[in-house]
Amino acid sequence: MRQAGPVSEADEKAEAEKADEKKAHVATVRRLEQSSGKLAAAAISRMDEQLSWYRAMPPENRSWIGLVAQAGIAAFIEWYRHPDTPQAISTDVFGTAPRELTRAITLRQTVELVRTTIEVVESAVEELAPPGGASSLRNALLVYSREIAFATAQVYAQAAEARGAWDARLESLVVNAVVSGEADESDVSRAAALGWNTPEHVTVVLGSAPNGDSELTVEAIRRAARYAKLQVLTGVLGKRLVVIAGGSDDPVQAAKALIGPFASGPVVAGPVVGDLLAATRSAQAAAAGLRACAAWPDAPRPVLADDLLPERAMAGDPAARRLLVEEIYRPLQEAGSALLETLSVYLEQASSLEGAARMLFVHPNTVRYRLRRVTDVTGWPPSDVRSAFTLRVALMLGRLADADSGI
């Protein structure tokens, strides 16, 4: 019972301290409310003095930033009024500004905006807090600064996710249009919105997509493209990984730079074309080459679609058949019957100069000269086994075309 007196005095002292703290807290909140407009104006004035990017902004965006500063101070006052109540700071502060503001100012600029506003409030702590309350207000401001920093990061992360999802849909539309042969000017505009700067040289690379998250595959392609200084539009369509690559006039080199994320199996690079609309032709050639790769098990990886012309022709690709006739058979035909006849006999005589010379009743040097002319005209040397196969298929298709036309 003797301890009852001292305990009661301690309780009374504690209650008195709590009452004083509550009065100081209420007084601080009142002062903050009375000074909120002045603090916001001071924050905007300091931004105008210290932040060059703020001064250069159009009036509309500056007004939105001013509202954000005012909302930040108002949110701090409300948060300080009820510090133990969970509150959605990001909604209180950034909800007043349109979503487009995250595109108008960068995350770094937003951090500078928040820092400037907090510094203005912190510089006025001694004036805002009643006697003995400055330390409490300063500590509260420190905690609030941490919360507003996390809220800022959340806003920009959500905006980045939304833009990323939208950009992914746009990119998928462009890639699908190019592969399906339906690309038009609207797809060029979509590609421009994705950062495609209309490179002069464009090629399409096709192969199998790896198992797993397609977004990881797409990101791996982008990393490889940045390292190789290529522009890319890419996507996974079904089981295929499609890459539209711009910036290199060597399709094999571009394909080698991007081949890492592809799954095992053939990778085919279409011919180089001049722009995104013409990339449809490159994509169709690459797709036909990918289907025909099974007929050439020893094909290099990556392989040019044009190097698969005979296999593509046998697989029923009309474009390959047309190219073989127009780029090999017709030029030989126009160069004179001697070249066609010599090439035909040479191929049928197991690539023997002497045998072809005997069949043609000419000197072997004459055969050698004519075969060099064949290389000059077509770009395919008959002495190479692979080229000889391509030339043989071209001759067959050319004769069939002549027969169909009645020549």
Side-chain angles (χ1 to χ4, degrees):
M1 296 296 293
R2 291 181 180 178
Q3 296 178 352
V7 171
S8 298
E9 290 176 1
D11 289 343
E12 289 177 0
K13 185 177 180 180
E15 290 294 332
E17 290 177 352
K18 289 182 179 179
D20 291 341
E21 291 177 359
K22 185 174 181 180
K23 289 180 181 178
H25 186 270
V26 171
T28 304
V29 171
R30 187 182 303 112
R31 293 188 181 190
L32 285 170
E33 290 176 336
Q34 292 172 351
S35 303
S36 61
K38 179 181 177 181
L39 291 172
I44 295 171
S45 177
R46 182 172 295 189
M47 281 187 280
D48 192 58
E49 293 175 1
Q50 298 181 353
L51 305 179
S52 58
W53 58 264
Y54 175 78
R55 293 193 298 271
M57 296 190 77
E60 181 182 4
N61 288 338
R62 289 178 55 157
S63 66
W64 282 119
I65 291 176
L67 288 177
V68 171
Q70 294 174 17
I73 294 172
F76 170 67
I77 296 172
E78 188 62 27
W79 179 85
Y80 186 72
R81 188 196 309 274
H82 306 290
D84 298 327
T85 303
Q87 299 178 50
I89 293 177
S90 63
T91 302
D92 293 339
V93 176
F94 298 102
T96 58
R99 183 178 299 177
E100 290 77 9
L101 190 62
T102 58
R103 292 182 179 269
I105 63 174
T106 65
L107 176 59
R108 179 185 60 81
Q109 291 170 340
T110 304
V111 170
E112 292 179 351
L113 156 67
V114 172
R115 181 188 293 117
T116 302
T117 306
I118 293 297
E119 287 175 352
V120 167
V121 178
E122 188 175 19
S123 65
V125 164
E126 297 294 340
E127 301 176 9
L128 296 171
S135 177
S136 174
L137 179 57
R138 189 173 285 108
N139 290 337
L141 188 61
L142 181 63
V143 174
Y144 180 79
S145 300
R146 182 194 66 188
E147 296 298 323
I148 198 68
F150 283 120
T152 303
Q154 181 182 16
V155 167
Y156 274 82
Q158 291 174 344
E161 289 177 359
R163 285 197 300 270
W166 176 248
D167 289 350
R169 287 193 289 270
L170 275 184
E171 190 169 12
S172 179
L173 285 173
V174 174
V175 171
N176 186 67
V178 169
V179 172
S180 63
E182 299 175 355
D184 54 25
E185 291 296 336
S186 63
D187 295 297
V188 175
S189 299
R190 295 187 182 104
L194 295 169
W196 181 264
N197 294 326
T198 61
E200 295 181 358
H201 307 290
V202 181
T203 186
V204 178
V205 183
L206 290 182
S208 298
N211 296 326
D213 192 344
S214 60
E215 293 184 4
L216 296 178
T217 301
V218 168
E219 185 56 35
I221 289 289
R222 292 198 181 105
R223 285 197 301 270
R226 286 193 294 268
Y227 183 79
K229 297 181 180 180
L230 296 171
Q231 295 185 51
V232 294
L233 297 168
T234 183
V236 176
L237 303 181
K239 296 182 179 180
R240 288 183 178 179
L241 175 56
V242 182
V243 182
I244 304 171
S248 174
D249 59 357
D250 187 339
V252 173
Q253 182 181 4
K256 286 181 177 178
L258 304 172
I259 202 170
F262 282 86
S264 58
V267 174
V268 182
V272 172
V273 293
D275 53 39
L276 188 62
L277 292 179
T280 290
R281 179 163 54 85
S282 183
Q284 291 173 345
L290 194 61
R291 288 191 297 269
C293 258
W296 188 13
D298 296 328
R301 186 177 187 268
V303 61
L304 281 174
D306 285 353
D307 287 345
L308 288 158
L309 283 176
E311 286 81 8
R312 288 167 52 189
M314 291 182 179
D317 180 14
R321 293 188 175 193
R322 185 177 63 254
L323 284 173
L324 287 170
V325 173
E326 293 179 356
E327 296 187 1
I328 295 178
Y329 183 78
R330 296 301 180 204
L332 288 174
Q333 196 176 45
E334 293 170 1
S337 59
L339 290 188
L340 269 179
E341 182 184 16
T342 300
L343 177 61
S344 176
V345 171
Y346 175 76
L347 294 176
E348 291 172 0
Q349 291 300 313
S351 302
S352 169
L353 285 171
E354 291 74 13
R358 286 195 299 271
M359 292 288 294
L360 295 168
F361 301 103
V362 296
H363 194 276
N365 286 340
T366 303
V367 176
R368 187 177 289 107
Y369 167 77
R370 291 177 180 175
L371 294 181
R372 282 200 302 267
R373 288 278 296 130
V374 169
T375 303
D376 294 338
V377 171
T378 66
W380 298 85
S383 57
D384 178 75
V385 175
R386 177 70 191 174
S387 297
F389 172 61
T390 303
L391 292 167
R392 184 184 288 272
V393 174
L395 292 182
M396 293 167 55
L397 293 173
R399 290 163 183 161
L400 290 173
D402 287 347
D404 290 340
S405 60
I407 296 178

